[in-house]
Amino acid sequence: MTTTSLRAVDLIARKRDGGEVDPADLRAFVLAYARDELPDYQMAAFLMAGYLRGFTRRETEALTDAMVASGDRLDLGRLTGPTVDKHSTGGVADGTTLVVGPLAAALGLQMVKLSGRGLGHTGGTLDKLESIPGFRVGLGAGELLDQVERIGLAVAAQTADLVPADKAIYALRDVTATVGNTALIASSVMSKKLAGGAGCILLDVKAGSGAFMHETADAVELARLCVELGRAGGRRTAALVTDMDQPLGELVGNAVEVREAVEALRGERPGRFLDLCLTLTGHLAALAGAAADPEQGRRDAEQALRSGAGLERFRDFVAAQGGDPRVADDLSILPQAPVTREVEAPAGGWLEAVDAEEVGRVAAALGAGRQRKEDRIDPAVAVELDAKLGDRVEAGQPIGRILARDEAAARAAADGLLAALRWSERPGQAPPLVHEVVLG
Ligand code: URA
């Protein structure tokens, strides 16, 4: 498609009227936008038309292909092992990469993970890793591949040259109320995964109060679409739809999430977080053909945890990226907040509901997250929530703590945390950790 405004108008009108846009035209439209040859208002009109009318499977594939084609792709051809990537759609206390990466590497997989930073109530893997003194996330492609070949794992910042169309379109969606469309989310996520080059892709699609998708059925639909796009792109792809009706781990912040990961790798912190990490690693191993099935993969991951091989890979990984590897043995080298405030249950009862998004916002307001891209984060501050859905507590029982810069911030965060919790006089059911598995 040439980018005369007439052709673009025709394409927008077709979508507005509920028709299907030809894949070649859609590709040209997206590529023109990425080259700055199409104005924001036409892309915005198209996105809104598609948001309201929906996108066909063919259109979603074309959108994904065009976004991949808009920039560089990482060529993993010189790596010798099975290459894997995992992606979470974003949640609270959801630092699984820090555990899954080392465990997968210990099983002989090669994980190349390009990550983003946290925005809003969700945390970002890069921010968490940067709380380790010296840790660098700006790796060039050559350095990234050398490291993966040597130790099986690298986590780096995604460069601006990878899927630039998604970057521009996502920014536009953010300000035109067009983020929450399954096809747009799936093409955005999968274009980045496909450009990342891994042969096997595992998606962890979150469902619940702290996730993009509050309803499990919507998350399952997104998971299925992502898996189809991965397969269409020639990758082995699977997805788990997992619970985000409460924070996954107990610690919400940056340095504290490194602490939780290290304690999990040492086998000192059993619970939902470690459970999901083992399950995800098992699925990755099965996808890559390193285990007969996800159950065997999980048993292998448990063995790598018990033997200390996972912790050893974590040490290698931190050292390779300039971080202080002593963090695996001495958590006191992580930044520490000056104020700790205990949070106590206001009354006896069962924990019935957690607004996980609000818990993420309380941590972000302390300084653990950013409201705007250019904000600096404070690695030391955090919210800790020990209580889980379905737990019974007594009045005055400690249920968590706040790590803050000063007393006033700690007090406000404690009030915010309590406001995010709902108690019941009757016992309730804890949600399952994994709602659904979508295999490719
Ligand atoms: N994450 C992405 O990368 N893209 C979306 O559209 C939503 C979440």
Side-chain angles (χ1 to χ4, degrees), residues 275-326:
D275 192 3
L276 185 59
C277 290
L278 291 167
T279 298
L280 290 170
T281 310
H283 276 274
L284 273 179
L287 262 184
D293 52 40
E295 293 71 32
Q296 180 59 48
R298 186 184 158 114
R299 284 192 291 277
D300 294 346
E302 286 167 351
Q303 174 55 26
L305 189 85
R306 269 195 303 274
S307 71
L311 188 65
E312 197 50 44
R313 289 302 166 118
F314 179 83
R315 244 187 230 108
D316 294 344
F317 158 60
V318 170
Q321 294 195 215
D324 188 338
R326 287 176 305 160

mmCIF file of all heavy atoms in Angstrom, residues 275-326:
data_model
loop_
_atom_site.group_PDB
_atom_site.id
_atom_site.type_symbol
_atom_site.label_atom_id
_atom_site.label_comp_id
_atom_site.label_asym_id
_atom_site.label_seq_id
_atom_site.Cartn_x
_atom_site.Cartn_y
_atom_site.Cartn_z
ATOM 1 N N ASP A 275 6.110 -22.646 43.754
ATOM 2 C CA ASP A 275 5.285 -23.658 43.094
ATOM 3 C C ASP A 275 5.099 -23.308 41.608
ATOM 4 O O ASP A 275 5.309 -24.145 40.719
ATOM 5 C CB ASP A 275 3.932 -23.702 43.827
ATOM 6 C CG ASP A 275 3.099 -24.898 43.435
ATOM 7 O OD1 ASP A 275 3.582 -25.717 42.644
ATOM 8 O OD2 ASP A 275 1.946 -24.999 43.920
ATOM 9 N N LEU A 276 4.746 -22.045 41.352
ATOM 10 C CA LEU A 276 4.537 -21.654 39.954
ATOM 11 C C LEU A 276 5.856 -21.678 39.173
ATOM 12 O O LEU A 276 5.889 -22.092 38.015
ATOM 13 C CB LEU A 276 3.885 -20.267 39.859
ATOM 14 C CG LEU A 276 3.534 -19.850 38.424
ATOM 15 C CD1 LEU A 276 2.573 -20.844 37.771
ATOM 16 C CD2 LEU A 276 2.935 -18.444 38.369
ATOM 17 N N CYS A 277 6.943 -21.252 39.816
ATOM 18 C CA CYS A 277 8.249 -21.283 39.124
ATOM 19 C C CYS A 277 8.593 -22.706 38.680
ATOM 20 O O CYS A 277 9.084 -22.921 37.558
ATOM 21 C CB CYS A 277 9.355 -20.751 40.036
ATOM 22 S SG CYS A 277 9.239 -18.982 40.336
ATOM 23 N N LEU A 278 8.354 -23.676 39.548
ATOM 24 C CA LEU A 278 8.672 -25.071 39.208
ATOM 25 C C LEU A 278 7.774 -25.559 38.070
ATOM 26 O O LEU A 278 8.219 -26.245 37.145
ATOM 27 C CB LEU A 278 8.507 -25.958 40.445
ATOM 28 C CG LEU A 278 9.546 -25.713 41.552
ATOM 29 C CD1 LEU A 278 9.123 -26.392 42.852
ATOM 30 C CD2 LEU A 278 10.936 -26.212 41.130
ATOM 31 N N THR A 279 6.489 -25.182 38.136
ATOM 32 C CA THR A 279 5.557 -25.593 37.081
ATOM 33 C C THR A 279 5.956 -24.981 35.744
ATOM 34 O O THR A 279 5.974 -25.667 34.701
ATOM 35 C CB THR A 279 4.117 -25.166 37.457
ATOM 36 O OG1 THR A 279 3.770 -25.838 38.661
ATOM 37 C CG2 THR A 279 3.115 -25.536 36.377
ATOM 38 N N LEU A 280 6.293 -23.687 35.754
ATOM 39 C CA LEU A 280 6.682 -23.023 34.495
ATOM 40 C C LEU A 280 7.946 -23.662 33.932
ATOM 41 O O LEU A 280 8.044 -23.913 32.719
ATOM 42 C CB LEU A 280 6.928 -21.525 34.747
ATOM 43 C CG LEU A 280 5.699 -20.667 35.055
ATOM 44 C CD1 LEU A 280 6.120 -19.270 35.522
ATOM 45 C CD2 LEU A 280 4.780 -20.541 33.838
ATOM 46 N N THR A 281 8.911 -23.948 34.785
ATOM 47 C CA THR A 281 10.155 -24.570 34.304
ATOM 48 C C THR A 281 9.858 -25.944 33.708
ATOM 49 O O THR A 281 10.416 -26.315 32.663
ATOM 50 C CB THR A 281 11.183 -24.706 35.455
ATOM 51 O OG1 THR A 281 11.296 -23.453 36.124
ATOM 52 C CG2 THR A 281 12.547 -25.119 34.919
ATOM 53 N N GLY A 282 8.966 -26.674 34.354
ATOM 54 C CA GLY A 282 8.589 -27.994 33.831
ATOM 55 C C GLY A 282 7.989 -27.892 32.444
ATOM 56 O O GLY A 282 8.309 -28.691 31.547
ATOM 57 N N HIS A 283 7.129 -26.904 32.238
ATOM 58 C CA HIS A 283 6.522 -26.723 30.914
ATOM 59 C C HIS A 283 7.570 -26.316 29.887
ATOM 60 O O HIS A 283 7.533 -26.781 28.741
ATOM 61 C CB HIS A 283 5.390 -25.691 30.981
ATOM 62 C CG HIS A 283 4.088 -26.288 31.413
ATOM 63 N ND1 HIS A 283 3.212 -26.881 30.527
ATOM 64 C CD2 HIS A 283 3.541 -26.413 32.635
ATOM 65 C CE1 HIS A 283 2.163 -27.340 31.202
ATOM 66 N NE2 HIS A 283 2.337 -27.072 32.474
ATOM 67 N N LEU A 284 8.496 -25.447 30.286
ATOM 68 C CA LEU A 284 9.546 -25.038 29.340
ATOM 69 C C LEU A 284 10.377 -26.243 28.920
ATOM 70 O O LEU A 284 10.697 -26.408 27.732
ATOM 71 C CB LEU A 284 10.479 -24.005 29.998
ATOM 72 C CG LEU A 284 10.078 -22.548 29.906
ATOM 73 C CD1 LEU A 284 11.101 -21.682 30.641
ATOM 74 C CD2 LEU A 284 9.958 -22.083 28.451
ATOM 75 N N ALA A 285 10.726 -27.077 29.899
ATOM 76 C CA ALA A 285 11.548 -28.255 29.590
ATOM 77 C C ALA A 285 10.806 -29.181 28.626
ATOM 78 O O ALA A 285 11.402 -29.724 27.683
ATOM 79 C CB ALA A 285 11.912 -28.990 30.880
ATOM 80 N N ALA A 286 9.496 -29.330 28.841
ATOM 81 C CA ALA A 286 8.717 -30.200 27.952
ATOM 82 C C ALA A 286 8.624 -29.592 26.551
ATOM 83 O O ALA A 286 8.777 -30.296 25.545
ATOM 84 C CB ALA A 286 7.325 -30.430 28.537
ATOM 85 N N LEU A 287 8.378 -28.290 26.489
ATOM 86 C CA LEU A 287 8.280 -27.622 25.178
ATOM 87 C C LEU A 287 9.567 -27.804 24.379
ATOM 88 O O LEU A 287 9.540 -28.002 23.164
ATOM 89 C CB LEU A 287 8.088 -26.107 25.381
ATOM 90 C CG LEU A 287 6.722 -25.473 25.326
ATOM 91 C CD1 LEU A 287 6.859 -23.966 25.453
ATOM 92 C CD2 LEU A 287 5.973 -25.831 24.051
ATOM 93 N N ALA A 288 10.697 -27.703 25.102
ATOM 94 C CA ALA A 288 12.008 -27.759 24.438
ATOM 95 C C ALA A 288 12.455 -29.187 24.158
ATOM 96 O O ALA A 288 13.527 -29.395 23.589
ATOM 97 C CB ALA A 288 13.041 -27.047 25.309
ATOM 98 N N GLY A 289 11.651 -30.168 24.602
ATOM 99 C CA GLY A 289 12.017 -31.570 24.369
ATOM 100 C C GLY A 289 13.071 -32.070 25.344
ATOM 101 O O GLY A 289 13.637 -33.152 25.161
ATOM 102 N N ALA A 290 13.338 -31.318 26.419
ATOM 103 C CA ALA A 290 14.329 -31.755 27.411
ATOM 104 C C ALA A 290 13.684 -32.648 28.473
ATOM 105 O O ALA A 290 14.378 -33.248 29.288
ATOM 106 C CB ALA A 290 14.977 -30.541 28.070
ATOM 107 N N ALA A 291 12.357 -32.704 28.486
ATOM 108 C CA ALA A 291 11.638 -33.595 29.406
ATOM 109 C C ALA A 291 10.473 -34.213 28.634
ATOM 110 O O ALA A 291 9.954 -33.599 27.693
ATOM 111 C CB ALA A 291 11.110 -32.810 30.603
ATOM 112 N N ALA A 292 10.077 -35.411 29.063
ATOM 113 C CA ALA A 292 9.034 -36.134 28.325
ATOM 114 C C ALA A 292 7.702 -35.389 28.399
ATOM 115 O O ALA A 292 6.928 -35.386 27.442
ATOM 116 C CB ALA A 292 8.881 -37.538 28.900
ATOM 117 N N ASP A 293 7.432 -34.770 29.528
ATOM 118 C CA ASP A 293 6.177 -34.022 29.701
ATOM 119 C C ASP A 293 6.384 -32.979 30.811
ATOM 120 O O ASP A 293 7.416 -33.002 31.493
ATOM 121 C CB ASP A 293 5.008 -34.974 30.013
ATOM 122 C CG ASP A 293 5.317 -35.893 31.172
ATOM 123 O OD1 ASP A 293 5.928 -35.412 32.146
ATOM 124 O OD2 ASP A 293 4.982 -37.084 31.113
ATOM 125 N N PRO A 294 5.421 -32.074 31.003
ATOM 126 C CA PRO A 294 5.606 -31.017 32.009
ATOM 127 C C PRO A 294 5.803 -31.560 33.429
ATOM 128 O O PRO A 294 6.510 -30.945 34.234
ATOM 129 C CB PRO A 294 4.314 -30.203 31.903
ATOM 130 C CG PRO A 294 3.809 -30.451 30.522
ATOM 131 C CD PRO A 294 4.204 -31.854 30.188
ATOM 132 N N GLU A 295 5.209 -32.717 33.726
ATOM 133 C CA GLU A 295 5.343 -33.279 35.074
ATOM 134 C C GLU A 295 6.787 -33.734 35.295
ATOM 135 O O GLU A 295 7.382 -33.492 36.352
ATOM 136 C CB GLU A 295 4.378 -34.455 35.287
ATOM 137 C CG GLU A 295 2.907 -34.070 35.302
ATOM 138 C CD GLU A 295 2.351 -33.650 33.934
ATOM 139 O OE1 GLU A 295 2.835 -34.186 32.908
ATOM 140 O OE2 GLU A 295 1.458 -32.773 33.894
ATOM 141 N N GLN A 296 7.345 -34.414 34.287
ATOM 142 C CA GLN A 296 8.747 -34.836 34.386
ATOM 143 C C GLN A 296 9.645 -33.596 34.466
ATOM 144 O O GLN A 296 10.609 -33.547 35.239
ATOM 145 C CB GLN A 296 9.141 -35.691 33.173
ATOM 146 C CG GLN A 296 10.590 -36.177 33.206
ATOM 147 C CD GLN A 296 10.884 -37.021 34.444
ATOM 148 O OE1 GLN A 296 10.125 -37.943 34.772
ATOM 149 N NE2 GLN A 296 11.956 -36.689 35.167
ATOM 150 N N GLY A 297 9.310 -32.571 33.662
ATOM 151 C CA GLY A 297 10.078 -31.320 33.681
ATOM 152 C C GLY A 297 10.066 -30.699 35.067
ATOM 153 O O GLY A 297 11.082 -30.192 35.554
ATOM 154 N N ARG A 298 8.925 -30.757 35.714
ATOM 155 C CA ARG A 298 8.838 -30.190 37.073
ATOM 156 C C ARG A 298 9.688 -30.994 38.052
ATOM 157 O O ARG A 298 10.376 -30.428 38.902
ATOM 158 C CB ARG A 298 7.375 -30.150 37.530
ATOM 159 C CG ARG A 298 7.244 -29.434 38.855
ATOM 160 C CD ARG A 298 5.842 -29.436 39.415
ATOM 161 N NE ARG A 298 5.952 -29.205 40.841
ATOM 162 C CZ ARG A 298 5.506 -28.123 41.474
ATOM 163 N NH1 ARG A 298 4.883 -27.185 40.833
ATOM 164 N NH2 ARG A 298 5.673 -27.991 42.771
ATOM 165 N N ARG A 299 9.660 -32.308 37.899
ATOM 166 C CA ARG A 299 10.504 -33.118 38.799
ATOM 167 C C ARG A 299 11.987 -32.792 38.577
ATOM 168 O O ARG A 299 12.762 -32.698 39.518
ATOM 169 C CB ARG A 299 10.232 -34.618 38.580
ATOM 170 C CG ARG A 299 8.911 -35.079 39.201
ATOM 171 C CD ARG A 299 8.807 -36.593 39.235
ATOM 172 N NE ARG A 299 8.663 -37.184 37.906
ATOM 173 C CZ ARG A 299 7.507 -37.294 37.242
ATOM 174 N NH1 ARG A 299 6.388 -36.862 37.797
ATOM 175 N NH2 ARG A 299 7.469 -37.864 36.045
ATOM 176 N N ASP A 300 12.354 -32.597 37.322
ATOM 177 C CA ASP A 300 13.751 -32.225 37.022
ATOM 178 C C ASP A 300 14.089 -30.864 37.646
ATOM 179 O O ASP A 300 15.191 -30.659 38.168
ATOM 180 C CB ASP A 300 13.976 -32.156 35.501
ATOM 181 C CG ASP A 300 13.835 -33.523 34.837
ATOM 182 O OD1 ASP A 300 13.830 -34.538 35.565
ATOM 183 O OD2 ASP A 300 13.714 -33.562 33.595
ATOM 184 N N ALA A 301 13.130 -29.941 37.575
ATOM 185 C CA ALA A 301 13.356 -28.612 38.157
ATOM 186 C C ALA A 301 13.508 -28.718 39.676
ATOM 187 O O ALA A 301 14.361 -28.044 40.283
ATOM 188 C CB ALA A 301 12.198 -27.684 37.791
ATOM 189 N N GLU A 302 12.690 -29.588 40.294
ATOM 190 C CA GLU A 302 12.792 -29.782 41.750
ATOM 191 C C GLU A 302 14.174 -30.327 42.119
ATOM 192 O O GLU A 302 14.781 -29.932 43.113
ATOM 193 C CB GLU A 302 11.692 -30.736 42.240
ATOM 194 C CG GLU A 302 10.323 -30.067 42.254
ATOM 195 C CD GLU A 302 9.173 -31.068 42.432
ATOM 196 O OE1 GLU A 302 9.422 -32.301 42.373
ATOM 197 O OE2 GLU A 302 8.042 -30.611 42.593
ATOM 198 N N GLN A 303 14.658 -31.222 41.272
ATOM 199 C CA GLN A 303 15.987 -31.807 41.516
ATOM 200 C C GLN A 303 17.076 -30.727 41.382
ATOM 201 O O GLN A 303 18.012 -30.663 42.195
ATOM 202 C CB GLN A 303 16.210 -32.974 40.535
ATOM 203 C CG GLN A 303 17.587 -33.594 40.565
ATOM 204 C CD GLN A 303 17.989 -34.068 41.971
ATOM 205 O OE1 GLN A 303 17.135 -34.373 42.820
ATOM 206 N NE2 GLN A 303 19.300 -34.073 42.236
ATOM 207 N N ALA A 304 16.926 -29.853 40.372
ATOM 208 C CA ALA A 304 17.909 -28.763 40.177
ATOM 209 C C ALA A 304 17.880 -27.796 41.359
ATOM 210 O O ALA A 304 18.896 -27.208 41.717
ATOM 211 C CB ALA A 304 17.623 -28.022 38.871
ATOM 212 N N LEU A 305 16.720 -27.672 41.969
ATOM 213 C CA LEU A 305 16.596 -26.810 43.151
ATOM 214 C C LEU A 305 17.295 -27.481 44.341
ATOM 215 O O LEU A 305 18.113 -26.873 45.029
ATOM 216 C CB LEU A 305 15.105 -26.610 43.452
ATOM 217 C CG LEU A 305 14.780 -25.583 44.509
ATOM 218 C CD1 LEU A 305 14.726 -24.195 43.875
ATOM 219 C CD2 LEU A 305 13.424 -25.879 45.135
ATOM 220 N N ARG A 306 16.986 -28.761 44.531
ATOM 221 C CA ARG A 306 17.555 -29.491 45.681
ATOM 222 C C ARG A 306 19.072 -29.588 45.610
ATOM 223 O O ARG A 306 19.778 -29.458 46.599
ATOM 224 C CB ARG A 306 16.971 -30.913 45.730
ATOM 225 C CG ARG A 306 15.712 -31.044 46.556
ATOM 226 C CD ARG A 306 15.415 -32.510 46.852
ATOM 227 N NE ARG A 306 15.297 -33.306 45.635
ATOM 228 C CZ ARG A 306 14.178 -33.441 44.932
ATOM 229 N NH1 ARG A 306 13.080 -32.840 45.330
ATOM 230 N NH2 ARG A 306 14.154 -34.181 43.834
ATOM 231 N N SER A 307 19.578 -29.810 44.406
ATOM 232 C CA SER A 307 21.033 -30.014 44.260
ATOM 233 C C SER A 307 21.812 -28.702 44.368
ATOM 234 O O SER A 307 23.036 -28.711 44.446
ATOM 235 C CB SER A 307 21.324 -30.650 42.899
ATOM 236 O OG SER A 307 21.091 -29.695 41.868
ATOM 237 N N GLY A 308 21.104 -27.574 44.307
ATOM 238 C CA GLY A 308 21.799 -26.278 44.330
ATOM 239 C C GLY A 308 22.216 -25.819 42.941
ATOM 240 O O GLY A 308 22.808 -24.742 42.790
ATOM 241 N N ALA A 309 21.913 -26.619 41.893
ATOM 242 C CA ALA A 309 22.324 -26.234 40.531
ATOM 243 C C ALA A 309 21.639 -24.941 40.092
ATOM 244 O O ALA A 309 22.242 -24.109 39.407
ATOM 245 C CB ALA A 309 22.001 -27.369 39.547
ATOM 246 N N GLY A 310 20.389 -24.762 40.498
ATOM 247 C CA GLY A 310 19.660 -23.539 40.119
ATOM 248 C C GLY A 310 20.305 -22.306 40.753
ATOM 249 O O GLY A 310 20.521 -21.287 40.088
ATOM 250 N N LEU A 311 20.655 -22.421 42.034
ATOM 251 C CA LEU A 311 21.282 -21.289 42.736
ATOM 252 C C LEU A 311 22.648 -20.971 42.110
ATOM 253 O O LEU A 311 23.029 -19.812 41.960
ATOM 254 C CB LEU A 311 21.433 -21.616 44.222
ATOM 255 C CG LEU A 311 21.888 -20.454 45.107
ATOM 256 C CD1 LEU A 311 20.851 -19.339 45.143
ATOM 257 C CD2 LEU A 311 22.168 -20.939 46.539
ATOM 258 N N GLU A 312 23.363 -22.019 41.730
ATOM 259 C CA GLU A 312 24.677 -21.835 41.097
ATOM 260 C C GLU A 312 24.530 -21.072 39.775
ATOM 261 O O GLU A 312 25.313 -20.174 39.464
ATOM 262 C CB GLU A 312 25.284 -23.232 40.847
ATOM 263 C CG GLU A 312 26.774 -23.246 40.590
ATOM 264 C CD GLU A 312 27.569 -22.455 41.632
ATOM 265 O OE1 GLU A 312 27.292 -22.591 42.825
ATOM 266 O OE2 GLU A 312 28.452 -21.667 41.213
ATOM 267 N N ARG A 313 23.491 -21.428 38.998
ATOM 268 C CA ARG A 313 23.258 -20.705 37.735
ATOM 269 C C ARG A 313 22.879 -19.257 38.000
ATOM 270 O O ARG A 313 23.234 -18.366 37.250
ATOM 271 C CB ARG A 313 22.145 -21.383 36.914
ATOM 272 C CG ARG A 313 22.563 -22.696 36.327
ATOM 273 C CD ARG A 313 23.783 -22.516 35.427
ATOM 274 N NE ARG A 313 24.383 -23.772 35.114
ATOM 275 C CZ ARG A 313 24.499 -24.277 33.886
ATOM 276 N NH1 ARG A 313 24.069 -23.587 32.852
ATOM 277 N NH2 ARG A 313 25.072 -25.439 33.702
ATOM 278 N N PHE A 314 22.137 -19.033 39.064
ATOM 279 C CA PHE A 314 21.764 -17.658 39.417
ATOM 280 C C PHE A 314 23.027 -16.849 39.706
ATOM 281 O O PHE A 314 23.196 -15.728 39.234
ATOM 282 C CB PHE A 314 20.832 -17.668 40.636
ATOM 283 C CG PHE A 314 20.404 -16.294 41.083
ATOM 284 C CD1 PHE A 314 19.347 -15.643 40.470
ATOM 285 C CD2 PHE A 314 21.077 -15.645 42.111
ATOM 286 C CE1 PHE A 314 18.961 -14.356 40.867
ATOM 287 C CE2 PHE A 314 20.702 -14.367 42.520
ATOM 288 C CZ PHE A 314 19.638 -13.726 41.893
ATOM 289 N N ARG A 315 23.943 -17.449 40.469
ATOM 290 C CA ARG A 315 25.221 -16.785 40.790
ATOM 291 C C ARG A 315 25.981 -16.440 39.512
ATOM 292 O O ARG A 315 26.464 -15.332 39.327
ATOM 293 C CB ARG A 315 26.076 -17.748 41.617
ATOM 294 C CG ARG A 315 26.357 -17.277 42.986
ATOM 295 C CD ARG A 315 27.355 -18.188 43.701
ATOM 296 N NE ARG A 315 26.831 -18.534 44.982
ATOM 297 C CZ ARG A 315 26.368 -19.729 45.336
ATOM 298 N NH1 ARG A 315 26.397 -20.735 44.496
ATOM 299 N NH2 ARG A 315 25.884 -19.915 46.528
ATOM 300 N N ASP A 316 26.071 -17.428 38.601
ATOM 301 C CA ASP A 316 26.793 -17.216 37.328
ATOM 302 C C ASP A 316 26.149 -16.079 36.532
ATOM 303 O O ASP A 316 26.837 -15.253 35.933
ATOM 304 C CB ASP A 316 26.735 -18.479 36.443
ATOM 305 C CG ASP A 316 27.476 -19.636 37.066
ATOM 306 O OD1 ASP A 316 28.282 -19.409 37.992
ATOM 307 O OD2 ASP A 316 27.228 -20.783 36.631
ATOM 308 N N PHE A 317 24.831 -16.087 36.523
ATOM 309 C CA PHE A 317 24.060 -15.107 35.753
ATOM 310 C C PHE A 317 24.297 -13.693 36.307
ATOM 311 O O PHE A 317 24.574 -12.750 35.555
ATOM 312 C CB PHE A 317 22.583 -15.533 35.838
ATOM 313 C CG PHE A 317 21.559 -14.471 35.595
ATOM 314 C CD1 PHE A 317 21.509 -13.789 34.389
ATOM 315 C CD2 PHE A 317 20.607 -14.171 36.568
ATOM 316 C CE1 PHE A 317 20.527 -12.811 34.165
ATOM 317 C CE2 PHE A 317 19.639 -13.208 36.353
ATOM 318 C CZ PHE A 317 19.608 -12.521 35.148
ATOM 319 N N VAL A 318 24.230 -13.547 37.614
ATOM 320 C CA VAL A 318 24.443 -12.227 38.232
ATOM 321 C C VAL A 318 25.862 -11.752 37.933
ATOM 322 O O VAL A 318 26.086 -10.608 37.516
ATOM 323 C CB VAL A 318 24.169 -12.291 39.756
ATOM 324 C CG1 VAL A 318 24.611 -11.006 40.443
ATOM 325 C CG2 VAL A 318 22.694 -12.550 40.008
ATOM 326 N N ALA A 319 26.830 -12.645 38.101
ATOM 327 C CA ALA A 319 28.233 -12.259 37.868
ATOM 328 C C ALA A 319 28.444 -11.875 36.407
ATOM 329 O O ALA A 319 29.111 -10.890 36.101
ATOM 330 C CB ALA A 319 29.158 -13.406 38.260
ATOM 331 N N ALA A 320 27.839 -12.644 35.485
ATOM 332 C CA ALA A 320 28.040 -12.383 34.049
ATOM 333 C C ALA A 320 27.531 -11.000 33.672
ATOM 334 O O ALA A 320 28.059 -10.371 32.757
ATOM 335 C CB ALA A 320 27.331 -13.451 33.214
ATOM 336 N N GLN A 321 26.512 -10.515 34.375
ATOM 337 C CA GLN A 321 25.955 -9.205 34.035
ATOM 338 C C GLN A 321 26.461 -8.110 34.979
ATOM 339 O O GLN A 321 25.826 -7.059 35.120
ATOM 340 C CB GLN A 321 24.421 -9.277 33.950
ATOM 341 C CG GLN A 321 24.020 -10.164 32.778
ATOM 342 C CD GLN A 321 22.567 -10.078 32.325
ATOM 343 O OE1 GLN A 321 22.006 -11.071 31.920
ATOM 344 N NE2 GLN A 321 21.958 -8.904 32.355
ATOM 345 N N GLY A 322 27.606 -8.358 35.594
ATOM 346 C CA GLY A 322 28.276 -7.311 36.371
ATOM 347 C C GLY A 322 27.777 -7.153 37.787
ATOM 348 O O GLY A 322 28.247 -6.280 38.527
ATOM 349 N N GLY A 323 26.816 -7.981 38.194
ATOM 350 C CA GLY A 323 26.256 -7.862 39.542
ATOM 351 C C GLY A 323 27.135 -8.586 40.557
ATOM 352 O O GLY A 323 28.010 -9.383 40.192
ATOM 353 N N ASP A 324 26.884 -8.303 41.830
ATOM 354 C CA ASP A 324 27.672 -8.917 42.898
ATOM 355 C C ASP A 324 27.079 -10.296 43.208
ATOM 356 O O ASP A 324 25.992 -10.392 43.791
ATOM 357 C CB ASP A 324 27.613 -8.012 44.137
ATOM 358 C CG ASP A 324 28.560 -8.478 45.215
ATOM 359 O OD1 ASP A 324 28.929 -9.676 45.210
ATOM 360 O OD2 ASP A 324 28.929 -7.646 46.062
ATOM 361 N N PRO A 325 27.791 -11.381 42.847
ATOM 362 C CA PRO A 325 27.200 -12.724 43.019
ATOM 363 C C PRO A 325 27.049 -13.135 44.475
ATOM 364 O O PRO A 325 26.352 -14.104 44.777
ATOM 365 C CB PRO A 325 28.200 -13.635 42.291
ATOM 366 C CG PRO A 325 29.486 -12.878 42.266
ATOM 367 C CD PRO A 325 29.144 -11.426 42.264
ATOM 368 N N ARG A 326 27.683 -12.376 45.381
ATOM 369 C CA ARG A 326 27.516 -12.739 46.804
ATOM 370 C C ARG A 326 26.067 -12.607 47.250
ATOM 371 O O ARG A 326 25.681 -13.099 48.296
ATOM 372 C CB ARG A 326 28.390 -11.818 47.683
ATOM 373 C CG ARG A 326 29.877 -12.128 47.603
ATOM 374 C CD ARG A 326 30.647 -11.121 48.417
ATOM 375 N NE ARG A 326 30.331 -9.765 47.996
ATOM 376 C CZ ARG A 326 30.532 -8.664 48.724
ATOM 377 N NH1 ARG A 326 31.059 -8.747 49.910
ATOM 378 N NH2 ARG A 326 30.211 -7.467 48.252
#
